[in-house]
Amino acid sequence: MMKKMSIPTSKASLVLFLCQIISALDVPLDSKLLEELSQPPTITQQSPKDYIVDPRENIVIQCEAKGKPPPSFSWTRNGTHFDIDKDAQVTMKPNSGTLVVNIMNGGKAEAYEGVYQCTARNERGAAISNNIVIRPSRSPLWTKEKLEPNHVREGDSLVLHCRPPVGLPPPIIFWMDNAFQRLPQSERVSQGLNGDLYFANVQPEDTREDYICYARFNHTQTIQQKQPISVKVFSTKPVTERPPVLLTPTGSTSTKVELRGNVLLLECIAAGLPTPVIRWIKEGGELPANRTFFENFKKTLKIIDVSEADSGNYKCIARNTLGSVHHVISVTVKAAPYWITAPRNLVLSPGEDGTLICRANGNPKPSISWLANGVPIAIAPEDPSRKVDGDTIIFSHVQERSSAVYQCNASNEYGYLLANAFVNVLAEPPRILTPANKLYQVIADSPALLDCAYFGSPKPEIEWFKGVKGSILRGNEYVFHDNGTLEIPVAQKDSAGTYTCVARNELGKIQNEVQLEIKDPTMIIKQPEYKVIQRYGQVSFECIIKHDSTLLPTVIWLKDNDELPDDERFLVGKDNLTIMNVTDKDDGTYTCIVNTTLDSVSASAVLTVVAAPPTPAIIYARPNPPFDLELTGQLERSIELSWIPGDENNSPITNFVIEYEDALHEPGVWHYQTEVSGTQTTAQLKLSPYVNYSFRVIAVNKIGRSQPSEPSEQYLTKSASPDENPANVQGIGSEPDNLVITWEPLKGFQSNGPGLQYKVSWRQKDVDDEWTSVIVANVSKYIVSGTPTFVPYEVKVQALNDLGYAPEPSEVIGHSGEDLPMVAPGNVQVHVINSTLAKVHWDPVPLKTVRGHLQGYKVYYWKVQSLSRRSRRHVEKKILTFRGNKTFGMLPGLEPYSSYKLNVRVVNGKGEGPASPDKVFKTPEGVPSSPSFLKITNPTLDSLTLEWGSPTHPNGVLTSYTLKFQPINNTHELGPLVEIRIPANESSLILKNLNYSTRYKFYFNAQTSVGSGSQITEEAVTIMDEAGILRPAVGVGKVQSLYPRIRNVTTAAAETYANISWEYEGPDHANFYVEYGVAGSKEDWKKEIVNGSRSFFVLKGLTPGTAYKVRVGAEGLSGFRSSEDVFETGPAMASRQVDIATQGWFIGLMCAVALLILILLIVCFIRRNKGGKYPVKEKEDAHADPEIQPMKEDDGTFGEYRSLESDAEDHKPLKKGSRTPSDRTVKKEDSDDSLVDYGEGVNGQFNEDGSFIGQYSGKKEKEPAEGNESSEAPSPVNAMNSFV
């Protein structure tokens, strides 16, 4: 048997192998020829020699071969025949020698370990593969072991051993922690080639419980984990430094053997403190450049692609500040066999000689052995033409039976090489492979090569003839090549003609004819010339050529041997290159290259750009109009227009605009036709039939457009049938029994001829019906009557004229007219969600009953009556539309505790269908609105009379009223809050047992079963006894001077203004103002002063369609204001206002008011001299008015005005929680209900002798829950002391 052997993987195809021959007989690469020739087998693909397989997957052992006839395959296993038919788990692929071992369906990979060899055989020989060693990969588990913690002193060295299980192939080792993070490595801590983790010296930070070694087996894609290793570092002071010591390798010397071509890895890892540094040298030589690398912080020396020259002694030196240590590794490089000359295939003719040479080298020197068809040559059948001489086989006078496949095996202790090489003896008559009558074209005076590719065995002789009966070609004017090609070194015109090639050998003769044509050379008869051009000028290079008429030339221009810049200034013409508006960067060499399929010529010229001489200022203007318009090349649908440009007036013409006039249909109207580049003076224009054309041209530059040129002569095109049909064809019914077909008529020139008409056609869709047509003229609409209601129709409109019809038009889908829907939605259901919102459901109507395009549903709903009042009112129906095929909708904005009706109707394009039966539903109760008013009258020493109106919107059945009140003392503190529940049928109440001369604040609201509504607030004062100063002045039961208020503020808004009016109750001569702002805005209120004491005012300059808030106040009466009202501006309304200031009665009234004010001022001055003082500081702070007007009741006059500073000694500070904002204005939200929630913010106060100063607030106030004020209540002790 042969020594360790295999065959290298050969990926060459049959083509390659037939080319690899070393004899006089060459086989051309002709696919048809190669398919016909016999050939011994050749191995083309095989598995590697050492084949490690995944034990979980099927084993595929490759063996592919080619030959003629196709080879058959057989296998040996461990040196004996492997009968695959007897093993159900093994199959061979069709037309292949590849084996598939079925592991995934029950096979065991271990059962198929062994050495396999493939043989490919046909009638001309047998080729064999390498010995393929099959081994399943292994990834064993770590053996269980008990690992003791490593207790190490700081600074000592440490080695953590990995010792991974032995796997196949060996695993990849790495160290990680419990969090699957790689452990950091450095010069101090690193992993060795054996997988161990080395510490040159340990540090306290090395203490951890989770040093884990992992082994990754790539072949099976598995990772095995060693048990965690614990390291505990204990410190001793001081830490002792130590010189380097080698941890690996041990001793001073070691040896290493590596094979040629592999990677040499040498390692030195040292311990010591400080951490040693590693250095490598080669004794007696240098480390090989470009192949040497240092890894693992220079602890590993890596040399790639080693050879015998890399043998020698390599020294590693470890050094720190305390010394050094070294180790010498003696490296020997051995070599497995490698080829010097591998045997190559031989193709011989009968009787020829040849040799197979097999030369290999290695260390030690490999031995050479030969096999014939897979059998050692010593025991192979005898062949008298064969002689073996060491590494060479010599063949003499071979015959066809000498064909065989020979194997050369080169082996030593490190491996083997196996090569297959066949000897193929062929006896074939001549074949000519060049196509018959092949045409060759060459340029005159150039060489001509005429091919005659051939094959035959023995090798045929080749002869050439010219002409059908010409003589054999000989002489110096011809060159005959070994491959059969005839060369004519200088082909002339008379060389053209038919040439015949004849091939003959002892087995036959064959001939073939080819044609030769001689072409004229391509020449540049006018070459580009050197040019000097001024900057911003224009330059042109010419390149006029002459060429053979049968060749098509292409012209390419280059600048400095590169493509022309992508710039519109470069214009390439048929025979020239023009550069517009030349700049400095255009300087350079320009080359014209002319190419044909047979030759190429070129010519160059240099362009030099120079600065332009100073010139006078250039006047730029629009170009002059073109002139001399001429029409040529008249055709039915096109014409050529040419013109002469006018003066461009120092601004280059960028483009020309061409317009046309149709004197037949629209005389005097010019239309845009097209536009062309400013360098063109001709244009090919497309025309329409039956148009009397005139053309004009307009030149355009950067300044503008020229005047139009004079019109060209007229050109009337011939009539033709229309090219197009009307656009925008629609079919929409206007009545339930018709279909209105509309279209956009063709324009005049689109008619293409006289007698333009339209053929209107229609038929009902989805019905087996014929088209109905009618021809109309001068209209764009046709009405089809008597159609069914809302059915689809196919509609088309075709144009025609006296010459025929337009192309067949496309069809559109339309519908006949809609009618009102027939049925109402059914099953209408209402679900009341809350007191103001309900949801309505309905069933959709059948689409057939809609009788039109379904647009949606409308819900009509209206309030029938309020359940609380039982009174009917004007019915105002509301409508909500729900688009599409919706079957439900929400009804917002309902009034609580009311009875509603609704119905639903379907809507189409015609209108609404019948209403569904009215559906009645009721909304539940809600909370009521505030009482309509609260009046406090008839003040006495210990009682007040309250009167109120029921809420405007009860929103249910009123169950009761709630009255809350509490006193306010002179320090603005609140007394105890008293609550009274009042039956709902009451409208007045007399409060008794009140304190005399005391201000009270009242909070009043109504309740339903749902809850309490919003409240209304008022303030009032009981009077003093008869000895007191204050008492009612006039009127029975009225306290006008103590009860001022502004109420019933109403607005009448127009587009940009609004009339504001109000009612006032209180002292005469109040000065009013109006405050307003945009509703919902946080901006400050705008203030307008009312002229005089009028109870109305006009706000001007408002924004249309905007919601505003407004309130009215009075100055000088402790700053009380009305409640807010909201209005929205709308469309302007015509109204006529009379300016009251121009009325006589008003002027008289103003004079009386002025006189009264003068008297009051005199009285005030007298009172001031008496020294009367009233503390008003607290009142001002509580209401933040700019000034305070106290009033007296004894004589009906106003009290004196005093500055805030002068009264400072009488003022008392406000308590915590004042509701006065920092901007000194009191908004409605800020001033409401301050007494209840916060115990402060009063509108009046008492002076030293108990008299009341201030006024009642007439404002309605909200719940006391807003603002950011303090909620601290007054002290009960203070409150009791204040109200005793």
Side-chain angles (χ1 to χ4, degrees):
M1 286 297 293
M2 37 175 203
K3 300 178 184 178
K4 290 168 53 180
M5 60 179 291
S6 180
I7 189 165
T9 301
S10 176
K11 298 183 180 178
S13 64
L14 178 63
V15 174
L16 176 62
F17 290 118
L18 286 178
C19 292
Q20 295 178 337
I21 51 179
I22 51 173
S23 73
L25 184 59
D26 292 328
V27 180
L29 299 180
D30 183 272
S31 59
K32 183 178 179 180
L33 171 65
L34 296 176
E35 290 178 0
E36 296 175 356
L37 296 179
S38 297
Q39 178 192 318
T42 302
I43 302 291
T44 60
Q45 192 171 4
Q46 58 184 316
S47 294
K49 296 178 182 179
D50 191 6
Y51 188 17
I52 300 175
V53 299
D54 190 333
R56 302 166 300 180
E57 297 180 355
N58 291 343
I59 302 173
V60 179
I61 311 175
Q62 289 185 327
C63 179
E64 303 291 342
K66 290 186 177 182
K68 183 68 175 181
S72 60
F73 297 88
S74 62
W75 284 86
T76 62
R77 176 182 174 187
N78 297 327
T80 61
H81 177 68
F82 182 32
D83 191 349
I84 63 175
D85 295 331
K86 293 182 179 180
D87 192 333
Q89 302 294 335
V90 182
T91 58
M92 184 183 293
K93 290 184 178 181
N95 302 318
S96 166
T98 298
L99 295 183
V100 178
V101 183
N102 196 335
I103 300 300
M104 301 178 70
N105 284 338
K108 298 293 184 181
E110 293 77 6
Y112 293 93
E113 285 191 69
V115 180
Y116 293 79
Q117 189 173 42
C118 171
T119 301
R121 186 184 307 275
N122 69 7
E123 62 188 25
R124 290 201 164 239
I128 61 175
S129 70
N130 292 326
N131 282 334
I132 302 171
V133 180
I134 301 295
R135 294 187 294 170
S137 63
R138 297 180 181 86
S139 51
L141 297 176
W142 246 291
T143 56
K144 290 188 177 181
E145 54 183 330
K146 184 177 180 181
L147 300 177
E148 298 293 337
N150 292 272
H151 296 273
V152 193
R153 182 175 56 191
E154 181 180 356
D156 286 358
S157 62
L158 175 64
V159 180
L160 300 182
H161 297 289
C162 180
R163 298 191 183 99
V166 178
L168 183 67
I172 297 173
I173 305 302
F174 52 94
W175 288 80
M176 302 178 76
D177 59 15
N178 274 334
F180 296 102
Q181 300 296 317
R182 285 188 179 269
L183 295 175
Q185 298 192 20
S186 62
E187 290 184 341
R188 186 178 64 85
V189 183
S190 62
Q191 177 183 316
L193 294 176
N194 63 351
D196 292 346
L197 190 63
Y198 293 87
F199 295 77
N201 51 79
V202 296
Q203 302 295 329
E205 60 265 24
D206 297 329
T207 297
R208 62 191 307 154
E209 305 287 335
D210 56 349
Y211 286 93
I212 304 174
C213 180
Y214 288 86
R216 183 172 66 213
F217 297 89
N218 283 344
H219 216 77
T220 56
Q221 298 180 348
T222 57
I223 296 178
Q224 304 291 354
Q225 170 186 340
K226 186 182 179 73
Q227 289 181 331
I229 301 175
S230 173
V231 173
K232 294 182 180 179
V233 180
F234 59 90
S235 299
T236 58
K237 300 297 183 180
V239 178
T240 304
E241 295 185 343
R242 299 186 312 282
V245 175
L246 286 176
L247 297 176
T248 183
T250 58
S252 59
T253 62
S254 61
T255 60
K256 173 79 172 181
V257 176
E258 192 56 77
L259 292 182
R260 178 179 184 269
N262 287 355
V263 175
L264 174 65
L265 293 175
L266 304 178
E267 179 181 58
C268 277
I269 299 178
L273 185 67
T275 302
V277 177
I278 305 296
R279 185 169 66 91
W280 292 88
I281 61 173
K282 183 180 182 183
E283 294 182 345
E286 298 290 336
L287 295 175
N290 302 323
R291 294 189 294 116
T292 301
F293 303 92
F294 297 100
E295 297 179 346
N296 197 18
F297 308 97
K298 291 193 176 181
K299 299 174 187 178
T300 302
L301 171 66
K302 177 180 178 180
I303 301 176
I304 63 174
D305 193 22
V306 295
S307 64
E308 290 84 345
D310 294 320
S311 297
N313 292 331
Y314 292 82
K315 179 187 288 187
C316 69
I317 303 169
R319 185 186 305 275
N320 68 5
T321 55
L322 299 183
S324 65
V325 65
H326 70 270
H327 183 92
V328 176
I329 304 173
S330 178
V331 174
T332 302
V333 178
K334 298 291 186 177
Y338 57 91
W339 291 117
I340 296 176
T341 303
R344 302 182 63 184
N345 298 327
L346 278 177
V347 180
L348 300 174
S349 299
E352 286 188 331
D353 303 334
T355 57
L356 287 179
I357 300 174
C358 178
R359 290 176 183 164
N361 201 358
N363 186 6
K365 182 77 174 176
S367 61
I368 302 296
S369 61
W370 288 95
L371 297 89
N373 294 327
V375 178
I377 201 165
I379 61 175
E382 290 273 348
D383 184 353
S385 66
R386 177 183 69 213
K387 179 183 178 182
V388 179
D389 184 10
D391 59 7
T392 304
I393 300 179
I394 302 171
F395 297 93
S396 303
H397 303 288
V398 296
Q399 302 301 317
E400 281 193 73
R401 63 177 179 274
S402 301
S403 295
V405 182
Y406 292 87
Q407 290 83 32
C408 174
N409 181 18
S411 303
N412 68 9
E413 61 185 278
Y414 297 107
Y416 73 93
L417 293 174
L418 178 70
N420 288 276
F422 63 70
V423 175
N424 195 15
V425 181
L426 296 175
E428 296 287 336
R431 290 183 175 89
I432 293 181
L433 307 178
T434 300
N437 294 312
K438 184 176 180 179
L439 176 64
Y440 293 88
Q441 296 178 329
V442 297
I443 298 295
D445 299 326
S446 299
L449 296 173
L450 308 183
D451 293 332
C452 183
Y454 66 93
F455 177 76
S457 181
K459 182 179 179 181
E461 295 181 356
I462 302 298
E463 294 177 329
W464 282 92
F465 299 85
K466 183 179 180 184
V468 179
K469 297 182 180 181
S471 57
I472 187 171
L473 298 180
R474 292 186 178 87
N476 295 331
E477 65 268 27
Y478 301 104
V479 177
F480 302 95
H481 294 273
D482 290 339
N483 62 358
T485 298
L486 170 66
E487 178 181 355
I488 306 175
V490 181
Q492 304 293 335
K493 282 286 186 178
D494 57 3
S495 300
T498 301
Y499 289 80
T500 303
C501 165
V502 178
R504 59 167 59 90
N505 67 6
E506 60 190 42
L507 300 178
K509 168 186 172 184
I510 192 172
Q511 66 181 35
N512 185 43
E513 293 182 353
V514 296
Q515 307 295 325
L516 176 63
E517 292 182 356
I518 307 300
K519 304 293 184 181
D520 292 328
T522 304
M523 295 183 292
I524 300 177
I525 58 177
K526 188 169 185 181
Q527 299 184 356
E529 299 177 351
Y530 172 74
K531 297 287 182 71
V532 177
I533 192 70
Q534 294 180 355
R535 194 179 300 138
Y536 309 123
Q538 176 177 317
V539 66
S540 181
F541 292 105
E542 287 187 305
C543 183
I544 300 176
I545 63 174
K546 178 182 179 182
H547 60 89
D548 191 286
S549 59
T550 61
L551 300 178
L552 183 63
T554 58
V555 179
I556 301 174
W557 286 91
L558 302 178
K559 178 182 183 296
D560 297 329
N561 293 323
D562 203 353
E563 292 182 358
L564 290 177
D566 185 10
D567 193 329
E568 61 184 9
R569 298 181 300 109
F570 289 77
L571 306 175
V572 178
K574 180 180 179 182
D575 299 320
N576 58 23
L577 168 65
T578 302
I579 307 174
M580 313 287 292
N581 195 22
V582 174
T583 63
D584 291 339
K585 65 181 181 181
D586 298 331
D587 209 275
T589 301
Y590 291 84
T591 303
C592 165
I593 301 176
V594 184
N595 293 317
T596 68
T597 55
L598 299 179
D599 61 348
S600 176
V601 292
S602 64
S604 300
V606 175
L607 172 64
T608 301
V609 180
V610 297
T615 57
I618 300 175
I619 299 175
Y620 300 96
R622 299 180 181 181
N624 293 343
F627 56 93
D628 281 354
L629 273 66
E630 182 179 0
L631 297 177
T632 57
Q634 291 88 344
L635 299 173
E636 290 186 4
R637 294 295 182 99
S638 67
I639 197 169
E640 186 175 273
L641 173 67
S642 60
W643 63 89
I644 298 176
D647 194 336
E648 63 184 20
N649 292 327
N650 299 315
S651 179
I653 296 173
T654 58
N655 57 293
F656 292 99
V657 177
I658 301 171
E659 298 179 339
Y660 74 91
E661 175 198 23
D662 181 4
L664 191 60
H665 300 100
E666 294 179 292
V669 180
W670 290 90
H671 301 277
Y672 174 85
Q673 171 83 13
T674 187
E675 60 184 87
V676 297
S677 168
T679 60
Q680 290 184 230
T681 58
T682 61
Q684 193 74 22
L685 307 178
K686 294 182 179 180
L687 306 179
S688 295
Y690 196 53
V691 177
N692 193 6
Y693 282 99
S694 291
F695 300 97
R696 68 182 186 184
V697 183
I698 300 171
V700 182
N701 63 10
K702 290 185 178 180
I703 309 302
R705 296 163 61 106
S706 72
Q707 291 295 321
S709 66
E710 291 295 325
S712 69
E713 60 181 311
Q714 292 186 343
Y715 178 64
L716 176 62
T717 55
K718 294 181 180 180
S719 301
S721 58
D723 294 326
E724 53 190 306
N725 287 300
N728 197 21
V729 177
Q730 291 182 321
I732 303 174
S734 61
E735 297 296 336
D737 60 348
N738 74 7
L739 172 67
V740 180
I741 302 173
T742 60
W743 61 90
E744 289 182 7
L746 298 181
K747 296 180 180 179
F749 73 91
Q750 293 177 307
S751 66
N752 285 6
L756 176 63
Q757 294 177 297
Y758 302 100
K759 180 182 178 181
V760 184
S761 304
W762 67 93
R763 69 178 177 186
Q764 189 171 336
K765 191 175 183 293
D766 300 328
V767 176
D768 189 11
D769 199 3
E770 296 294 330
W771 288 94
T772 303
S773 301
V774 64
I775 295 178
V776 297
N778 301 320
V779 294
S780 60
K781 179 174 70 174
Y782 184 78
I783 300 176
V784 180
S785 302
T787 63
T789 301
F790 195 68
V791 295
Y793 275 85
E794 294 176 311
V795 177
K796 58 184 179 180
V797 179
Q798 185 177 23
L800 68 151
N801 60 18
D802 292 348
L803 281 82
Y805 286 86
E808 183 66 23
S810 58
E811 301 166 6
V812 297
I813 304 300
H815 285 82
S816 56
E818 300 181 62
D819 203 350
L820 294 177
M822 298 172 61
V823 298
N827 193 24
V828 177
Q829 300 291 332
V830 179
H831 172 59
V832 178
I833 297 175
N834 56 40
S835 61
T836 61
L837 180 65
K839 185 175 184 180
V840 58
H841 293 262
W842 61 88
D843 289 343
V845 300
L847 289 179
K848 291 184 178 180
T849 66
V850 176
R851 300 201 296 181
H853 296 285
L854 175 63
Q855 294 187 354
Y857 292 86
K858 285 188 177 180
V859 177
Y860 286 74
Y861 65 102
W862 62 95
K863 180 180 174 183
V864 178
Q865 65 179 19
S866 172
L867 298 179
S868 59
R869 296 182 180 178
R870 300 293 180 185
S871 59
R872 295 182 177 272
R873 53 182 244 178
H874 173 67
V875 176
E876 179 184 354
K877 289 189 177 182
K878 297 182 180 179
I879 305 172
L880 285 176
T881 302
F882 300 96
R883 300 291 180 186
N885 200 22
K886 289 193 69 174
T887 58
F888 66 91
M890 308 299 291
L891 305 181
L894 303 177
E895 294 185 14
Y897 203 54
S898 299
S899 177
Y900 279 87
K901 286 185 179 181
L902 65 77
N903 58 52
V904 185
R905 311 176 191 192
V906 65
V907 183
N908 66 11
K910 189 71 173 179
E912 301 174 5
S916 66
D918 290 349
K919 187 75 174 180
V920 178
F921 66 95
K922 298 177 182 179
T923 55
E925 290 187 73
V927 296
S929 63
S930 62
S932 57
F933 66 89
L934 174 63
K935 290 184 179 181
I936 305 174
T937 60
N938 300 329
T940 66
L941 291 174
D942 61 352
S943 67
L944 291 170
T945 301
L946 281 67
E947 298 177 358
W948 60 86
S950 60
T952 306
H953 301 287
N955 294 339
V957 178
L958 295 181
T959 58
S960 62
Y961 293 99
T962 298
L963 173 66
K964 299 177 183 178
F965 65 94
Q966 58 189 153
I968 311 172
N969 69 0
N970 60 346
T971 60
H972 306 287
E973 293 175 339
L974 298 176
L977 184 66
V978 179
E979 180 175 334
I980 300 175
R981 183 78 64 170
I982 304 171
N985 57 356
E986 298 289 341
S987 61
S988 65
L989 176 68
I990 298 176
L991 282 178
K992 298 181 180 180
N993 299 322
L994 303 177
N995 296 330
Y996 73 91
S997 188
T998 302
R999 173 177 284 272
Y1000 287 89
K1001 186 159 188 177
F1002 299 90
Y1003 312 90
F1004 194 68
N1005 60 12
Q1007 287 88 29
T1008 64
S1009 61
V1010 176
S1012 299
S1014 57
Q1015 66 182 11
I1016 186 172
T1017 64
E1018 291 289 357
E1019 293 182 11
V1021 179
T1022 55
I1023 64 173
M1024 295 182 62
D1025 58 16
E1026 294 163 354
I1029 299 175
L1030 294 174
R1031 63 182 61 188
V1034 291
V1036 180
K1038 294 187 78 174
V1039 283
Q1040 183 180 13
S1041 59
L1042 292 177
Y1043 187 66
R1045 65 175 179 177
I1046 298 173
R1047 54 178 293 180
N1048 292 342
V1049 176
T1050 59
T1051 58
E1055 184 177 8
T1056 59
Y1057 67 91
N1059 291 320
I1060 314 298
S1061 61
W1062 59 89
E1063 295 178 7
Y1064 168 67
E1065 297 178 4
D1068 296 334
H1069 314 300
N1071 295 320
F1072 301 108
Y1073 60 87
V1074 175
E1075 292 182 314
Y1076 68 99
V1078 176
S1081 172
K1082 295 184 179 179
E1083 298 179 357
D1084 293 340
W1085 292 78
K1086 298 179 182 178
K1087 187 174 182 180
E1088 298 286 348
I1089 304 298
V1090 178
N1091 186 13
S1093 59
R1094 293 185 295 180
S1095 60
F1096 65 90
F1097 187 75
V1098 180
L1099 287 176
K1100 299 180 180 179
L1102 303 180
T1103 303
T1106 304
Y1108 287 90
K1109 57 185 178 181
V1110 66
R1111 65 188 181 191
V1112 181
E1115 294 182 335
L1117 295 178
S1118 298
F1120 68 87
R1121 304 184 184 89
S1122 68
S1123 59
E1124 292 182 20
D1125 189 29
V1126 177
F1127 67 92
E1128 184 173 352
T1129 55
M1133 298 178 60
S1135 64
R1136 184 177 181 183
Q1137 287 188 205
V1138 179
D1139 190 355
I1140 193 172
T1142 63
Q1143 303 302 306
W1145 64 268
F1146 182 78
I1147 296 174
L1149 178 61
M1150 292 299 100
C1151 293
V1153 171
L1155 179 60
L1156 181 59
I1157 292 174
L1158 179 60
I1159 294 172
L1160 291 175
L1161 290 175
I1162 295 173
V1163 173
C1164 291
F1165 182 76
I1166 295 172
R1167 295 287 296 173
R1168 180 180 179 84
N1169 290 338
K1170 291 181 180 181
K1173 297 180 181 179
Y1174 293 89
V1176 297
K1177 180 70 167 73
E1178 291 85 355
K1179 177 64 179 178
E1180 180 193 16
D1181 290 341
H1183 292 275
D1185 286 333
E1187 54 185 350
I1188 301 173
Q1189 281 188 338
M1191 296 169 53
K1192 292 179 62 179
E1193 281 280 81
D1194 52 3
D1195 56 1
T1197 61
F1198 285 86
E1200 65 171 328
Y1201 283 82
R1202 300 195 60 193
S1203 68
L1204 299 179
E1205 291 80 1
S1206 65
D1207 291 340
E1209 67 274 13
D1210 296 311
H1211 292 173
K1212 295 180 181 180
L1214 286 173
K1215 300 297 180 183
K1216 291 189 295 180
S1218 171
R1219 291 177 62 92
T1220 304
S1222 60
D1223 61 358
R1224 306 294 292 167
T1225 61
V1226 180
K1227 298 183 181 179
K1228 177 175 183 293
E1229 305 83 75
D1230 297 334
S1231 63
D1232 290 349
D1233 305 334
S1234 60
L1235 295 178
V1236 175
D1237 274 39
Y1238 304 99
E1240 287 143 338
V1242 299
N1243 290 331
Q1245 58 186 344
F1246 298 91
N1247 63 7
E1248 297 88 344
D1249 57 6
S1251 59
F1252 174 75
I1253 302 176
Q1255 82 276 350
Y1256 294 110
S1257 171
K1259 296 177 287 181
K1260 297 180 181 179
E1261 300 182 21
K1262 297 173 67 176
E1263 289 286 355
E1266 299 180 322
N1268 56 2
E1269 301 79 18
S1270 169
S1271 60
E1272 180 182 338
S1275 167
V1277 176
N1278 292 339
M1280 292 300 294
N1281 291 337
S1282 302
F1283 292 97
V1284 173

